Amino acid sequence: MNNWSEVLLKDICDITRGASPRPIHDFMTEDLDGIPWVKIRDATASNTRFIENTKGFIKKEGKNKSVSVISGDLIVSNSATPGLPKIMGIDACIHDGWLLLRNLNGVCKEFLFYLLINDRKQIVSQGTGTIFTNLKTDILKNHQIKLPPISEQEEIASFLGSVDDKIDLNQKMNETLEEIAKTLFKSWFIDFDPVRAKAEGRSTGLSKEISDLFPDAFEDSELGEIPKGWRCSSISSKYDFLSGFAFKSKDWIEEGVPVVKIKSIDSGIVDLDTDTFVSEDFLGTKSSYILNEGDILIAMTGATIGKVGVVPISTKKSLLNQRVGKFIHRDNSKNFFLNCFVSSRLFLKNIENLATGSARDNISKDQILSIKTIIPTDDIYNKFGELTEDIRKKILIANNENNILEKLRDALLPKLISGELQIPDAENLVEEAGI
């Protein structure tokens, strides 16, 4: 650390603020040939360190009234969700809610990205604003940092980048796997492609074993035309449902068994690292509320009503709190049919229609179980589960690996950035974790 130097950010890079063409609504466009327009939500949409696409676009004539960024540029949010650094993966334009860092001198861009992640809380604490915290340009310019030699910067950035790359790869693999399963679900159970093909005398494109399971005709039902022999039924015919337990305020303790609340359902995964705990005694007295890997949970109240998440692999037991529900397969299976169904637009629309409540939306166990869907014959239902079981397991394994990697990265980051830990020691810790 003797060869580390203390500098201000303004001494090692140029920091400028983005700009918006005015009035902005005159320059917004839905034309995909427009210029990508970076908003804060584009940065918070994923955990990756890159911004590779945007929801919005501006007209080309708005470019000169904004600030252009190119792939590889480092930007930092200064409002709404302040202090969040991102590396541009595309050419775009940024508004005045962003700061652009360019002309880096004596600092590795990727190292600076991780340093800003590490120092974010400290930087944001200097912001102003009664409703939203805003970072003035001078706050970032005058932020003091410690810099190791460039070779050490590159080594630290490379190590942390490799961890993030593995996390991103797992996430993209899971997205691909989920899309494969959902595509098959839509083909079989929404569009009825195999049945239509057989009814029209065409090949189903499936093996004879699977193709023979499907009927070759349709019949009327209360939900419209469905394959012959299938049934229109409430999901209670296939699944049961458990509402979480209403723990009392006196039950909460500082450490113990984690209790999963609505806020724990995030991005399709249930976060078991909660801040609410109860005594281990509840594992015996309330054993039916213990969560297991692969369980599907749903938010039953509030703004996120209908949001679902899958319980990941974990070595620790967790309990289910009130206003969160758990689906239970009546046949004790973990058929991916349910995962696909509860993440479909049809299911969410049903939830929205059924939700009631004067102050906030609510939905009950009975209402959820009353939702109607089209149930295939058992042999087709089971075949779908068989075909997607490998997908289900791979998704759980990848999510578990990411959970381990994220915790390691977050623990190692401040120690590497401060010089407390050296790269060989960090590599050993990753190896010990079996990743």
Side-chain angles (χ1 to χ4, degrees):
M1 293 241 347
N2 292 332
N3 53 355
W4 288 41
S5 58
E6 291 190 0
V7 297
L8 301 179
L9 281 180
K10 65 181 180 182
D11 296 331
I12 59 170
C13 65
D14 294 333
I15 303 176
T16 56
R17 191 166 185 159
S20 300
R22 304 290 185 188
I24 184 58
H25 58 76
D26 287 348
F27 290 90
M28 297 302 295
T29 178
E30 295 182 359
D31 189 347
L32 297 182
D33 288 334
I35 300 173
W37 180 242
V38 183
K39 292 187 176 182
I40 302 298
R41 66 182 181 185
D42 297 314
T44 57
S46 71
N47 293 325
T48 176
R49 58 195 188 278
F50 301 102
I51 292 180
E52 297 177 313
N53 53 69
T54 63
K55 295 286 187 181
F57 300 85
I58 60 170
K59 298 174 183 176
K60 293 179 179 179
E61 52 265 36
K63 181 177 181 179
N64 293 333
K65 300 177 184 294
S66 181
V67 172
S68 297
V69 291
I70 60 174
S71 180
D73 273 338
L74 177 61
I75 61 176
V76 179
S77 60
N78 63 11
S79 62
T81 307
L84 180 64
K86 287 287 178 177
I87 297 174
M88 292 303 303
I90 55 173
D91 296 349
C93 283
I94 56 172
H95 53 65
D96 53 8
W98 290 100
L99 299 174
L100 171 62
L101 284 63
R102 268 188 182 160
N103 300 322
L104 307 186
N105 180 24
V107 61
C108 166
K109 176 176 58 187
E110 289 76 15
F111 177 85
L112 183 54
F113 166 84
Y114 286 111
L115 184 146
L116 290 169
I117 288 286
N118 186 67
D119 291 3
R120 183 181 176 188
K121 186 175 181 180
Q122 179 186 352
I123 294 170
V124 171
S125 68
Q126 302 173 64
T128 60
T130 54
I131 300 178
F132 295 108
T133 301
N134 294 292
L135 294 179
K136 293 182 179 180
T137 308
D138 284 346
I139 292 176
L140 200 61
K141 284 184 175 181
N142 293 311
H143 181 63
Q144 189 174 61
I145 62 172
K146 290 184 178 181
L147 279 183
I150 193 71
S151 59
E152 287 186 47
Q153 293 179 38
E154 292 173 345
E155 194 175 15
I156 292 170
S158 176
F159 172 81
L160 293 171
S162 66
V163 175
D164 274 336
D165 286 342
K166 179 59 177 174
I167 293 172
D168 292 346
L169 182 63
N170 281 340
Q171 183 60 41
K172 289 177 180 177
M173 181 189 73
N174 276 1
E175 290 171 359
T176 299
L177 289 172
E178 288 177 357
E179 188 59 33
I180 290 171
K182 289 176 181 179
T183 298
L184 184 62
F185 179 87
K186 182 175 182 294
S187 175
W188 284 19
F189 307 118
I190 296 178
D191 297 334
F192 312 128
D193 290 334
V195 182
R196 296 191 189 284
K198 293 182 74 171
E200 297 169 7
R202 296 183 287 106
S203 169
T204 62
L206 304 171
S207 68
K208 185 179 185 306
E209 175 200 359
I210 298 176
S211 184
D212 286 347
L213 299 177
F214 288 88
D216 58 3
F218 291 88
E219 58 188 16
D220 292 332
S221 79
E222 60 182 292
L223 292 181
E225 194 177 59
I226 66 173
K228 189 174 181 179
W230 293 21
R231 56 195 170 94
C232 171
S233 174
S234 62
I235 62 174
S236 62
S237 66
K238 205 75 178 172
Y239 311 103
D240 205 342
F241 190 85
L242 176 70
S243 298
F245 181 73
F247 292 98
K248 297 179 175 60
S249 57
K250 66 180 179 64
D251 296 328
W252 304 124
I253 59 177
E254 290 188 6
E255 290 185 13
V257 178
V259 176
V260 170
K261 295 184 174 181
I262 286 178
K263 65 180 181 180
S264 301
I265 303 176
D266 183 41
S267 302
I269 300 298
V270 176
D271 185 0
L272 299 181
D273 291 323
T274 72
D275 55 4
T276 48
F277 305 90
V278 293
S279 166
E280 290 187 4
D281 293 341
F282 282 102
L283 292 177
T285 61
K286 304 298 176 186
S287 59
S288 61
Y289 298 94
I290 295 175
L291 298 176
N292 299 298
E293 67 177 66
D295 282 346
I296 300 177
L297 309 187
I298 181 171
M300 300 173 66
T301 191
T304 59
I305 188 169
K307 191 172 184 180
V308 296
V310 177
V311 176
I313 296 171
S314 178
T315 57
K316 57 187 176 184
K317 296 290 186 181
S318 299
L319 291 164
L320 188 66
N321 195 49
Q322 63 178 336
R323 307 316 306 157
V324 184
K326 176 176 76 169
F327 290 93
I328 302 170
H329 293 73
R330 289 191 180 278
D331 60 3
N332 294 319
S333 72
K334 294 290 184 181
N335 198 307
F336 210 73
F337 182 98
L338 178 60
N339 299 63
C340 294
F341 176 65
V342 298
S343 63
S344 68
R345 293 177 62 184
L346 175 63
F347 178 79
L348 183 57
K349 184 177 179 180
N350 272 287
I351 292 291
E352 292 171 345
N353 290 338
L354 289 170
T356 58
S358 55
R360 54 183 177 177
D361 291 336
N362 294 278
I363 193 165
S364 69
K365 165 186 173 178
D366 290 340
Q367 286 175 312
I368 291 174
L369 288 177
S370 72
I371 293 174
K372 294 288 185 70
T373 188
I374 298 167
I375 306 293
T377 55
D378 287 346
D379 51 4
I380 294 177
Y381 178 83
N382 293 333
K383 178 56 69 173
F384 180 83
E386 178 187 318
L387 292 176
T388 55
E389 176 61 9
D390 190 47
I391 287 177
R392 189 185 73 83
K393 288 180 177 178
K394 284 182 177 178
I395 289 174
L396 284 173
I397 291 171
N399 282 333
N400 182 56
E401 186 172 280
N402 273 3
N403 185 44
I404 295 171
L405 286 170
E406 287 168 2
K407 287 180 179 178
L408 270 173
R409 178 200 60 198
D410 295 345
L412 297 176
L413 173 59
K415 295 181 179 181
L416 288 169
I417 291 295
S418 66
E420 179 184 343
L421 189 69
Q422 301 300 308
I423 291 297
D425 298 323
E427 290 174 337
N428 288 337
L429 289 172
V430 172
E431 187 176 345
E432 288 172 8
I435 300 299

